[in-house]
Amino acid sequence: MTRVIEPTRRIAVLDAHRLSDRAVARIASAAASIVVLSSDALFDDAERFRELVPGVELVDGGLVRGDVREAIVRAADLGCRLLAVPEPIRRRRFLHLAVNGAIDAAEHGHPTVAVLVMRPHEVEGDVAVFSNTGEASGYGLAFALEIAMRRGVAVARILPKKGLYVRRTAEVGHRADVEAGEAGVKVRYRKVARPLETVLRGQYTLAVHSVLDVIGSRSARAGAGAPARIQHDPNVDAVLWLLRFFRGDVLLVADGVRLRQARVKAAEDDTPLV
């Protein structure tokens, strides 16, 4: 049986010229090979990797015109489940494109895509994996355990005190738990009233949050491939807060994301939103 946690894996990197040397080193230590993607033809990102990490195999993933949305699908098509990106300049636009890319990848048949936002400097602490809504991903836990294993730290699983805890692809999370235990990764559990607030106020090297199905719609007037309009979704909003306020790296794990249509509640209709 193929292991869930990989000591090193094929990692796609978008716009490496915007990453610090320390961020590149963190990526290289986790990479069996690196797929180099760029949104700007003026930069030779592969050359930078050859200078900083000459021993890592490089694959030219080509130029992406659609920013992180296209990069996610390209990375998944090239066999990568992890895409590393620099800090976004426009966080809300970045997250909108990333969620749309995850939806596109799911429609292409890819089970999961994780987007790792790299800070210029690493922050000390454990890896925090949490869900602000009680909905989580087995792949999210697997990535948290894998990265903790590489960085030699523990995993803090932060769960909400109230609400139903649901985990998609639970079998992946169970297998990752077993493999991490064999590797000696420690897991600490906490139940708190406000998971997002706990992570933002804590000292963690990485925050992992899942985005599952999102509420949104595609315009009937838009052409094929037009981005979906995402409404204020609590899981998406939690990642936006992490991008803005969390000091460590941020991992957005999109687990087979699908659009959920929300019915507008008319005055005479008591049907709840779905």
Side-chain angles (χ1 to χ4, degrees):
M1 182 181 292
T2 304
R3 291 180 63 85
V4 173
I5 297 178
E6 301 180 20
T8 57
R9 63 170 60 242
R10 170 174 269 204
I11 299 174
V13 183
L14 177 64
D15 289 341
H17 59 276
R18 291 181 47 216
L19 293 170
S20 70
D21 289 354
R22 290 170 71 173
V24 169
R26 293 204 299 282
I27 295 169
S29 66
S33 62
I34 293 174
V35 176
V36 181
L37 303 171
S38 179
S39 63
D40 193 333
L42 295 178
F43 292 94
D44 183 1
D45 294 334
E47 187 61 31
R48 177 139 188 263
F49 277 108
R50 292 190 189 98
E51 293 175 358
L52 294 174
V53 284
V56 177
E57 177 191 4
L58 298 180
V59 178
D60 183 4
L63 188 67
V64 293
R65 297 294 187 186
D67 208 293
V68 71
R69 181 186 179 190
E70 181 182 338
I72 288 172
V73 178
R74 181 83 59 85
D77 287 342
L78 292 172
C80 303
R81 289 188 175 177
L82 182 63
L83 170 68
V85 300
E87 288 182 306
I89 298 171
R90 298 168 59 190
R91 291 181 292 267
R92 190 173 294 276
R93 178 180 181 274
F94 163 82
L95 189 54
H96 178 258
L97 290 173
V99 172
N100 270 276
I103 294 169
D104 295 343
E107 292 175 351
H108 280 70
H110 300 296
T112 190
V113 177
V115 180
L116 178 60
V117 178
M118 305 295 299
R119 306 298 192 188
H121 303 284
E122 55 266 55
V123 175
E124 292 184 356
D126 294 335
V127 172
V129 56
F130 76 105
S131 168
N132 211 42
T133 63
E135 299 173 291
S137 160
Y139 282 106
L141 177 60
F143 274 112
L145 292 164
E146 178 178 297
I147 294 172
M149 179 180 68
R150 294 199 197 103
R151 298 190 182 185
V153 298
V155 169
R157 293 191 62 186
I158 299 172
L159 308 175
K161 281 186 177 179
K162 296 181 179 179
L164 179 65
Y165 184 77
V166 179
R167 188 163 71 191
R168 180 177 292 179
T169 55
E171 70 284 354
V172 174
H174 294 325
R175 286 172 53 195
D177 264 330
V178 172
E179 293 172 14
E182 294 171 349
V185 178
K186 294 182 179 179
V187 180
R188 303 185 177 99
Y189 293 84
R190 291 185 65 186
K191 280 198 171 185
V192 299
R194 297 180 177 86
L196 176 60
E197 186 176 312
T198 298
V199 173
L200 292 177
R201 291 184 174 182
Q203 181 75 17
Y204 299 104
T205 185
L206 172 79
V208 181
H209 198 287
S210 304
V211 173
L212 305 179
D213 299 341
V214 295
I215 298 173
S217 62
R218 298 187 190 275
S219 172
R221 294 174 294 178
R229 294 172 295 185
I230 308 301
Q231 298 179 19
H232 284 289
D233 180 272
N235 285 325
V236 175
D237 290 345
V239 177
L240 188 62
W241 278 77
L242 290 173
L243 292 175
R244 184 175 181 182
F245 296 111
F246 185 70
R247 293 173 54 246
D249 298 334
V250 175
L251 186 67
L252 182 166
V253 180
D255 194 342
V257 176
R258 295 184 298 265
L259 281 175
R260 288 188 290 137
Q261 298 289 330
R263 293 197 299 270
V264 177
K265 186 177 181 180
E268 69 278 9
D269 183 8
D270 292 329
T271 305
L273 295 181
V274 296

